[in-house]
Coordinates of all heavy atoms in Angstrom, one line a residue:
M808 N 99.6 91.0 -7.8 CA 100.8 91.7 -7.2 C 100.4 92.6 -6.2 O 99.5 93.5 -6.4 CB 101.4 92.4 -8.4 CG 102.8 93.1 -8.0 SD 104.1 91.9 -7.6 CE 105.3 92.8 -6.9
L809 N 101.0 92.6 -5.0 CA 100.7 93.5 -3.9 C 101.3 94.9 -4.1 O 102.4 95.0 -4.7 CB 101.2 92.9 -2.6 CG 100.7 91.6 -2.1 CD1 101.5 91.0 -0.9 CD2 99.2 91.8 -1.7
N810 N 100.7 95.9 -3.6 CA 101.3 97.2 -3.7 C 102.0 97.5 -2.3 O 101.7 96.8 -1.4 CB 100.4 98.4 -4.2 CG 99.2 98.5 -3.2 OD1 99.4 98.3 -2.0 ND2 98.0 98.8 -3.7
C811 N 102.7 98.7 -2.3 CA 103.4 99.0 -1.0 C 102.5 99.2 0.2 O 102.8 98.8 1.2 CB 104.1 100.3 -1.3 SG 105.5 100.2 -2.5
K812 N 101.3 99.8 -0.1 CA 100.3 100.0 1.0 C 99.8 98.6 1.6 O 99.8 98.5 2.8 CB 99.1 100.7 0.5 CG 98.7 101.9 1.4 CD 97.6 102.7 0.8 CE 97.2 103.8 1.8 NZ 96.3 104.7 1.2
Q813 N 99.6 97.7 0.7 CA 99.2 96.4 1.1 C 100.3 95.6 2.0 O 100.1 95.0 3.0 CB 98.8 95.6 0.0 CG 97.5 96.0 -0.6 CD 97.2 95.3 -2.0 OE1 98.1 95.2 -2.9 NE2 96.0 94.8 -2.1
V814 N 101.6 95.7 1.4 CA 102.7 95.2 2.1 C 102.9 95.8 3.5 O 103.1 95.1 4.5 CB 104.0 95.3 1.3 CG1 105.2 94.8 2.0 CG2 103.8 94.5 0.0
A815 N 102.8 97.1 3.6 CA 102.9 97.8 4.9 C 101.9 97.3 5.8 O 102.2 97.0 7.0 CB 102.8 99.3 4.7
G816 N 100.7 97.0 5.3 CA 99.6 96.6 6.2 C 99.7 95.1 6.6 O 99.3 94.8 7.7
L817 N 100.5 94.4 5.8 CA 100.7 92.9 6.1 C 102.0 92.7 6.8 O 102.2 91.5 7.2 CB 100.6 92.2 4.8 CG 99.2 92.0 4.2 CD1 99.4 91.6 2.7 CD2 98.3 91.2 4.9
A818 N 102.8 93.7 6.9 CA 104.2 93.5 7.4 C 104.2 92.9 8.8 O 105.0 91.9 9.0 CB 104.9 94.8 7.5
S819 N 103.4 93.3 9.7 CA 103.3 92.7 10.9 C 103.0 91.3 11.0 O 103.6 90.5 11.6 CB 102.3 93.5 11.9 OG 102.4 93.1 13.2
D820 N 102.0 90.9 10.2 CA 101.5 89.5 10.1 C 102.7 88.7 9.3 O 102.9 87.6 9.8 CB 100.3 89.3 9.2 CG 99.1 89.8 10.0 OD1 99.1 89.8 11.2 OD2 98.1 90.0 9.3
Y821 N 103.4 89.3 8.4 CA 104.4 88.6 7.8 C 105.5 88.3 8.8 O 106.1 87.1 8.7 CB 105.0 89.5 6.6 CG 106.2 89.1 6.0 CD1 106.2 88.0 5.1 CD2 107.4 89.7 6.2 CE1 107.3 87.5 4.5 CE2 108.6 89.3 5.5 CZ 108.5 88.2 4.7 OH 109.7 87.8 4.2
L822 N 105.9 89.3 9.6 CA 107.0 89.0 10.6 C 106.5 87.9 11.6 O 107.4 87.1 12.2 CB 107.3 90.3 11.2 CG 108.0 91.3 10.5 CD1 108.2 92.5 11.2 CD2 109.4 90.8 10.0
D823 N 105.2 87.8 11.8 CA 104.7 86.7 12.7 C 104.4 85.4 11.9 O 104.1 84.5 12.5 CB 103.4 87.2 13.3 CG 103.5 88.3 14.3 OD1 104.5 88.4 15.0 OD2 102.5 89.0 14.5
K824 N 104.8 85.4 10.7 CA 104.6 84.3 9.8 C 103.2 83.9 9.9 O 102.8 82.7 10.0 CB 105.6 83.1 10.3 CG 107.0 83.5 10.1 CD 107.9 82.3 10.6 CE 109.3 82.6 10.3 NZ 109.8 83.9 10.9
N825 N 102.3 84.8 9.9 CA 100.9 84.7 10.1 C 100.1 85.1 9.0 O 98.8 85.3 9.1 CB 100.5 85.5 11.3 CG 99.4 85.0 12.1 OD1 98.9 83.9 11.8 ND2 98.8 85.9 12.9
T826 N 100.7 85.0 7.7 CA 99.8 85.4 6.6 C 100.1 84.3 5.5 O 101.2 83.8 5.1 CB 100.2 86.7 6.1 OG1 99.6 86.9 4.8 CG2 101.7 86.9 5.9
P827 N 99.1 84.0 4.7 CA 99.1 83.1 3.6 C 99.7 83.8 2.4 O 100.0 83.1 1.4 CB 97.6 82.7 3.3 CG 96.8 83.6 3.9 CD 97.7 84.2 5.0
L828 N 100.0 85.1 2.5 CA 100.5 85.9 1.4 C 101.9 86.0 1.5 O 102.5 86.9 0.8 CB 99.8 87.3 1.4 CG 98.2 87.2 1.2 CD1 97.7 88.7 1.4 CD2 97.9 86.8 -0.2
K829 N 102.6 85.3 2.3 CA 104.1 85.5 2.5 C 105.0 85.5 1.2 O 105.8 86.4 1.1 CB 104.6 84.7 3.6 CG 104.9 83.2 3.1 CD 105.7 82.5 4.2 CE 106.0 81.1 3.7 NZ 106.7 80.3 4.7
W830 N 104.6 84.7 0.3 CA 105.4 84.5 -0.9 C 105.1 85.8 -1.8 O 106.0 86.3 -2.4 CB 105.1 83.3 -1.7 CG 105.7 82.1 -0.9 CD1 104.9 81.2 -0.3 CD2 107.1 81.8 -0.8 NE1 105.9 80.3 0.3 CE2 107.1 80.6 0.1 CE3 108.2 82.4 -1.3 CZ2 108.3 80.1 0.4 CZ3 109.4 81.8 -0.7 CH2 109.5 80.7 0.0
Q831 N 103.9 86.3 -1.7 CA 103.7 87.6 -2.5 C 104.4 88.7 -1.8 O 104.9 89.6 -2.6 CB 102.2 87.8 -2.6 CG 101.4 86.8 -3.4 CD 100.0 87.1 -3.6 OE1 99.6 88.2 -3.9 NE2 99.1 86.2 -3.1
I832 N 104.4 88.7 -0.5 CA 105.1 89.8 0.1 C 106.6 89.7 -0.2 O 107.2 90.7 -0.4 CB 104.9 89.7 1.6 CG1 103.4 90.0 1.9 CG2 105.7 90.7 2.4 CD1 103.0 89.7 3.3
R833 N 107.1 88.5 -0.1 CA 108.6 88.2 -0.3 C 108.9 88.7 -1.7 O 109.9 89.4 -2.0 CB 108.9 86.8 -0.3 CG 109.9 86.5 0.9 CD 110.1 85.0 1.0 NE 110.2 84.8 2.5 CZ 110.6 83.8 3.0 NH1 111.1 82.8 2.3 NH2 110.6 83.6 4.2
L834 N 108.0 88.4 -2.7 CA 108.3 88.8 -4.1 C 108.3 90.3 -4.2 O 109.2 90.9 -4.9 CB 107.2 88.3 -5.0 CG 107.4 88.4 -6.5 CD1 108.4 87.4 -6.9 CD2 106.0 88.0 -7.2
H835 N 107.4 91.0 -3.5 CA 107.4 92.5 -3.5 C 108.7 92.9 -2.9 O 109.3 93.9 -3.4 CB 106.2 92.9 -2.7 CG 106.0 94.5 -2.7 ND1 105.2 95.1 -3.6 CD2 106.6 95.5 -2.0 CE1 105.3 96.5 -3.4 NE2 106.2 96.6 -2.5
L836 N 109.1 92.4 -1.8 CA 110.3 92.9 -1.1 C 111.6 92.8 -1.9 O 112.5 93.5 -1.8 CB 110.4 92.1 0.2 CG 109.4 92.3 1.3 CD1 109.7 91.4 2.6 CD2 109.3 93.8 1.7
L837 N 111.5 91.7 -2.8 CA 112.7 91.4 -3.6 C 112.8 92.7 -4.6 O 113.9 93.1 -5.0 CB 112.4 90.2 -4.5 CG 112.9 88.9 -3.8 CD1 112.5 87.7 -4.7 CD2 114.4 89.0 -3.6
M838 N 111.7 93.2 -4.9 CA 111.7 94.4 -5.9 C 111.6 95.8 -5.4 O 111.7 96.7 -6.1 CB 110.5 94.1 -7.0 CG 110.8 92.8 -7.8 SD 109.5 92.6 -8.9 CE 108.1 92.2 -7.9
C839 N 111.3 95.8 -4.1 CA 111.0 97.2 -3.5 C 111.9 97.5 -2.4 O 111.6 96.9 -1.2 CB 109.5 97.2 -3.2 SG 109.0 98.8 -2.6
A840 N 112.8 98.4 -2.5 CA 113.7 98.6 -1.4 C 113.1 99.3 -0.2 O 113.4 99.2 0.9 CB 114.9 99.5 -1.9
N841 N 112.0 100.2 -0.6 CA 111.3 100.9 0.4 C 110.6 99.9 1.4 O 110.7 100.2 2.6 CB 110.2 101.8 -0.3 CG 110.8 103.1 -0.8 OD1 111.8 103.6 -0.3 ND2 110.2 103.5 -1.8
C842 N 110.0 99.0 0.9 CA 109.2 98.0 1.7 C 110.3 97.1 2.5 O 110.0 96.8 3.6 CB 108.3 97.2 0.9 SG 106.8 98.2 0.4
R843 N 111.4 96.7 1.8 CA 112.4 95.9 2.5 C 112.9 96.8 3.7 O 113.0 96.2 4.8 CB 113.6 95.8 1.6 CG 113.5 94.5 0.8 CD 114.9 94.1 0.3 NE 115.7 95.1 -0.3 CZ 115.7 95.3 -1.6 NH1 114.9 94.5 -2.4 NH2 116.3 96.1 -2.3
R844 N 113.0 98.0 3.6 CA 113.6 98.9 4.6 C 112.4 98.9 5.8 O 112.7 98.9 6.9 CB 113.9 100.3 4.1 CG 114.8 101.0 5.2 CD 115.4 102.3 4.5 NE 114.4 103.0 3.7 CZ 114.6 103.6 2.6 NH1 115.8 103.6 2.0 NH2 113.6 104.2 2.0
F845 N 111.2 99.1 5.3 CA 110.1 99.2 6.2 C 110.0 97.9 7.1 O 109.8 98.0 8.3 CB 108.8 99.6 5.5 CG 107.6 99.5 6.4 CD1 107.2 100.6 7.1 CD2 106.7 98.4 6.5 CE1 106.2 100.6 8.0 CE2 105.7 98.4 7.3 CZ 105.4 99.5 8.0
V846 N 110.0 96.8 6.4 CA 109.9 95.5 7.2 C 111.0 95.3 8.0 O 110.9 94.8 9.3 CB 109.8 94.4 6.1 CG1 109.8 92.9 6.8 CG2 108.4 94.5 5.4
K847 N 112.2 95.7 7.6 CA 113.4 95.5 8.4 C 113.3 96.4 9.7 O 113.6 95.9 10.8 CB 114.7 95.9 7.7 CG 116.0 95.5 8.2 CD 117.1 95.8 7.2 CE 118.5 95.7 8.1 NZ 119.5 96.2 7.2
H848 N 112.9 97.6 9.5 CA 112.8 98.5 10.7 C 111.6 98.0 11.6 O 111.8 98.1 12.8 CB 112.4 99.9 10.3 CG 113.7 100.7 9.8 ND1 113.7 102.0 9.5 CD2 114.8 100.2 9.4 CE1 114.9 102.4 9.1 NE2 115.6 101.3 8.9
L849 N 110.6 97.5 11.1 CA 109.5 97.1 11.9 C 109.9 95.9 12.7 O 109.6 95.8 13.9 CB 108.4 96.6 11.0 CG 107.1 96.2 11.6 CD1 106.5 97.3 12.5 CD2 106.1 95.6 10.8
D850 N 110.8 95.0 12.1 CA 111.3 93.8 12.7 C 112.2 94.2 13.9 O 112.0 93.7 15.0 CB 112.0 92.9 11.7 CG 112.5 91.6 12.2 OD1 111.6 91.1 13.1 OD2 113.5 91.1 11.8
I851 N 113.1 95.2 13.7 CA 114.0 95.6 14.7 C 113.2 96.2 15.8 O 113.4 95.8 17.0 CB 115.0 96.7 14.1 CG1 115.9 96.0 13.1 CG2 115.7 97.3 15.3 CD1 116.8 96.9 12.3
T852 N 112.2 97.0 15.6 CA 111.4 97.7 16.5 C 110.6 96.8 17.3 O 110.5 96.9 18.6 CB 110.5 98.7 15.8 OG1 111.3 99.6 14.9 CG2 109.8 99.7 16.9
R853 N 110.1 95.7 16.6 CA 109.3 94.7 17.4 C 110.2 93.9 18.3 O 109.8 93.6 19.4 CB 108.5 93.9 16.4 CG 107.3 94.5 15.8 CD 107.0 93.7 14.6 NE 107.1 92.3 14.8 CZ 106.0 91.4 14.8 NH1 104.8 92.0 14.4 NH2 106.1 90.2 14.9
K854 N 111.4 93.6 17.8 CA 112.3 92.8 18.8 C 112.7 93.7 19.9 O 112.7 93.1 21.1 CB 113.5 92.4 17.9 CG 113.2 91.1 17.1 CD 114.3 90.7 16.1 CE 113.9 89.5 15.3 NZ 114.8 89.5 14.1
M855 N 113.0 94.9 19.7 CA 113.3 95.8 20.8 C 112.2 96.0 21.8 O 112.4 96.1 23.0 CB 113.7 97.2 20.3 CG 115.1 97.2 19.6 SD 115.6 98.9 19.2 CE 114.1 99.6 18.9
G856 N 111.0 96.0 21.2 CA 109.8 96.2 22.1 C 109.2 95.0 22.6 O 108.2 95.0 23.2
A857 N 109.8 93.8 22.4 CA 109.3 92.6 22.9 C 108.9 92.7 24.3 O 109.8 92.9 25.1 CB 110.1 91.4 22.5
G858 N 107.8 92.3 24.7 CA 107.4 92.4 26.1 C 106.6 93.6 26.4 O 105.9 93.7 27.4
L859 N 106.8 94.7 25.6 CA 106.0 95.9 25.8 C 104.6 95.7 25.2 O 104.5 95.0 24.2 CB 106.8 97.1 25.2 CG 108.0 97.5 25.7 CD1 108.7 98.6 24.9 CD2 108.0 97.8 27.1
E860 N 103.6 96.4 25.8 CA 102.3 96.1 25.4 C 101.9 96.4 24.0 O 101.3 95.6 23.3 CB 101.4 96.9 26.4 CG 100.4 95.9 27.1 CD 99.6 96.6 28.1 OE1 100.2 96.9 29.2 OE2 98.5 96.9 27.8
H861 N 102.4 97.6 23.5 CA 101.8 98.0 22.2 C 102.8 97.8 21.1 O 102.7 98.4 20.0 CB 101.4 99.4 22.3 CG 100.4 99.8 23.3 ND1 99.1 99.3 23.2 CD2 100.5 100.4 24.5 CE1 98.4 99.6 24.3 NE2 99.2 100.3 25.0
S862 N 103.8 96.9 21.4 CA 105.0 96.7 20.4 C 104.5 96.3 19.0 O 105.1 96.6 18.1 CB 106.0 95.8 21.0 OG 105.4 94.6 21.2
A863 N 103.4 95.5 19.0 CA 103.0 94.9 17.7 C 102.5 95.9 16.8 O 102.4 95.6 15.5 CB 102.1 93.7 17.8
N864 N 102.0 97.0 17.2 CA 101.2 98.0 16.5 C 101.8 99.3 16.4 O 101.0 100.3 16.3 CB 99.7 98.0 16.9 CG 98.9 97.1 16.1 OD1 99.1 97.0 14.8 ND2 97.9 96.5 16.7
I865 N 103.1 99.4 16.5 CA 103.8 100.8 16.4 C 103.6 101.3 14.9 O 104.0 100.6 14.0 CB 105.1 100.8 16.8 CG1 105.3 100.3 18.2 CG2 105.8 102.1 16.6 CD1 106.7 100.0 18.7
P866 N 103.0 102.5 14.8 CA 102.9 103.1 13.4 C 104.4 103.3 12.9 O 105.3 103.5 13.6 CB 102.2 104.4 13.6 CG 101.6 104.4 15.0 CD 102.4 103.3 15.8
A867 N 104.4 103.3 11.6 CA 105.8 103.5 11.0 C 106.5 104.8 11.4 O 107.7 104.7 11.6 CB 105.5 103.5 9.4
D868 N 105.8 105.8 11.6 CA 106.5 107.0 12.0 C 107.0 106.9 13.3 O 108.2 107.3 13.6 CB 105.4 108.2 12.1 CG 105.1 108.7 10.6 OD1 105.7 108.2 9.6 OD2 104.1 109.5 10.5
D869 N 106.4 106.3 14.4 CA 106.8 106.2 15.6 C 108.0 105.2 15.6 O 109.1 105.4 16.3 CB 105.8 105.5 16.5 CG 104.8 106.6 16.8 OD1 104.9 107.7 16.4 OD2 103.8 106.1 17.7
A870 N 108.0 104.1 14.7 CA 109.0 103.1 14.6 C 110.3 103.9 14.2 O 111.4 103.6 14.7 CB 108.7 102.0 13.6
E871 N 110.2 104.8 13.3 CA 111.3 105.5 12.7 C 111.9 106.4 13.9 O 113.0 106.4 14.0 CB 110.8 106.5 11.6 CG 112.0 107.0 10.8 CD 112.6 105.9 10.0 OE1 111.9 105.0 9.4 OE2 113.9 105.8 10.0
Q872 N 111.0 107.0 14.7 CA 111.6 107.8 15.8 C 112.3 106.9 16.9 O 113.3 107.4 17.3 CB 110.4 108.4 16.4 CG 110.0 109.8 15.8 CD 108.8 110.4 16.5 OE1 108.5 110.2 17.6 NE2 108.2 111.5 15.8
V873 N 111.7 105.9 17.2 CA 112.2 104.9 18.2 C 113.7 104.5 17.8 O 114.6 104.6 18.4 CB 111.3 103.7 18.4 CG1 112.1 102.6 19.2 CG2 110.1 104.2 19.1
L874 N 113.7 104.1 16.5 CA 114.9 103.7 15.8 C 116.0 104.8 15.9 O 117.2 104.5 16.3 CB 114.7 103.3 14.4 CG 115.7 102.3 13.8 CD1 115.5 100.9 14.5 CD2 115.4 102.1 12.3
Q875 N 115.6 105.9 15.7 CA 116.5 107.1 15.7 C 117.1 107.3 17.1 O 118.2 107.6 17.3 CB 115.7 108.4 15.2 CG 116.6 109.3 14.4 CD 117.4 108.6 13.2 OE1 116.8 107.9 12.4 NE2 118.7 108.8 13.2
K876 N 116.2 107.2 18.0 CA 116.5 107.3 19.4 C 117.6 106.3 19.8 O 118.6 106.6 20.5 CB 115.4 107.3 20.4 CG 114.7 108.5 20.6 CD 113.6 108.4 21.6 CE 112.6 109.5 21.6 NZ 111.4 109.2 22.4
V877 N 117.3 105.1 19.4 CA 118.3 104.0 19.8 C 119.6 104.2 19.0 O 120.7 104.0 19.7 CB 117.6 102.6 19.3 CG1 118.7 101.5 19.5 CG2 116.4 102.3 20.2
K878 N 119.6 104.5 17.9 CA 120.8 104.8 17.1 C 121.6 105.9 17.8 O 122.8 105.8 18.0 CB 120.5 105.3 15.7 CG 120.3 104.2 14.7 CD 120.1 104.8 13.3 CE 119.7 103.7 12.3 NZ 119.1 104.3 11.1
T879 N 121.0 106.9 18.3 CA 121.6 108.1 19.0 C 122.2 107.6 20.3 O 123.3 107.9 20.6 CB 120.6 109.2 19.4 OG1 119.9 109.5 18.2 CG2 121.3 110.3 19.8
K880 N 121.5 106.7 21.0 CA 122.0 106.1 22.2 C 123.3 105.2 21.9 O 124.2 105.3 22.7 CB 120.9 105.3 22.9 CG 120.1 106.1 23.9 CD 119.2 105.1 24.6 CE 118.1 106.0 25.4 NZ 117.1 105.1 26.0
I881 N 123.1 104.4 21.0 CA 124.3 103.5 20.6 C 125.4 104.4 20.3 O 126.6 104.0 20.8 CB 123.8 102.6 19.5 CG1 122.8 101.6 19.9 CG2 125.1 101.9 18.9 CD1 122.2 100.8 18.8
H882 N 125.2 105.4 19.5 CA 126.2 106.3 19.1 C 126.9 106.9 20.3 O 128.1 107.0 20.4 CB 125.8 107.3 18.1 CG 126.9 108.1 17.5 ND1 127.2 109.4 17.9 CD2 127.7 107.7 16.5 CE1 128.3 109.8 17.1 NE2 128.6 108.8 16.4
A883 N 126.1 107.4 21.3 CA 126.6 108.2 22.4 C 127.4 107.1 23.3 O 128.4 107.5 23.8 CB 125.5 108.6 23.3
K884 N 127.0 105.9 23.4 CA 127.6 104.9 24.1 C 129.0 104.6 23.6 O 129.9 104.5 24.3 CB 126.8 103.7 24.2 CG 126.9 102.8 25.5 CD 126.0 101.7 25.6 CE 126.1 100.9 26.8 NZ 125.3 99.7 26.9
S885 N 129.0 104.3 22.3 CA 130.2 103.9 21.7 C 131.3 105.0 21.7 O 132.5 104.7 21.7 CB 130.0 103.3 20.3 OG 129.4 104.3 19.3
S886 N 130.9 106.3 21.6 CA 131.8 107.3 21.6 C 132.5 107.6 23.0 O 133.5 108.2 23.1 CB 131.2 108.6 21.1 OG 130.2 109.0 22.0
T887 N 131.9 107.0 24.1 CA 132.5 107.1 25.4 C 133.5 106.1 25.8 O 134.3 106.2 26.7 CB 131.4 107.2 26.4 OG1 130.7 106.0 26.4 CG2 130.5 108.4 26.4
D888 N 133.5 105.0 24.9 CA 134.4 103.9 25.1 C 135.9 104.3 24.7 O 136.0 104.9 23.8 CB 133.9 102.6 24.3 CG 132.7 102.0 24.9 OD1 132.5 102.3 26.2 OD2 132.0 101.3 24.3
Ligands
ZN612 ZN1 106.9 98.4 -1.8

């Protein structure tokens, strides 16, 4: 059974479908809301950053900040409509 730290470390490979441990990760995600949220945020961040050089390796803290900025922008945009 993988722990949260291992899942966090494998999340990038998991999203790339690049790990033989995907079923173990999936199992963990079924039971762990924290890691589900982490992987989801990582996925969103990676998709937004596609084409940017360091997009694949953004630390979780940065990912959270980027996401927050985007949310603020989206909110600002929708409130002007
Ligand atoms: Zn977890």
Side-chain angles (χ1 to χ4, degrees):
M808 186 68 195
L809 297 170
N810 63 35
C811 294
K812 221 172 186 180
Q813 289 171 310
V814 171
L817 290 164
S819 188
D820 286 342
Y821 174 70
L822 291 172
D823 287 335
K824 298 175 173 57
N825 203 15
T826 171
L828 298 173
K829 76 171 180 183
W830 290 108
Q831 289 185 58
I832 295 170
R833 241 176 224 195
L834 192 68
H835 183 100
L836 293 181
L837 277 175
M838 292 182 292
C839 181
N841 283 334
C842 287
R843 269 206 303 277
R844 199 164 48 215
F845 176 80
V846 170
K847 195 175 163 188
H848 282 195
L849 184 66
D850 189 29
I851 292 168
T852 309
R853 281 163 43 116
K854 280 174 183 162
M855 287 188 325
L859 297 178
E860 236 175 279
H861 303 293
S862 60
N864 261 324
I865 297 172
D868 287 353
D869 285 3
E871 197 66 46
Q872 277 182 12
V873 170
L874 203 67
Q875 213 52 49
K876 273 187 195 168
V877 171
K878 275 184 188 166
T879 309
K880 270 189 191 169
I881 290 169
H882 189 259
K884 209 177 182 183
S885 61
S886 64
T887 57
D888 286 338

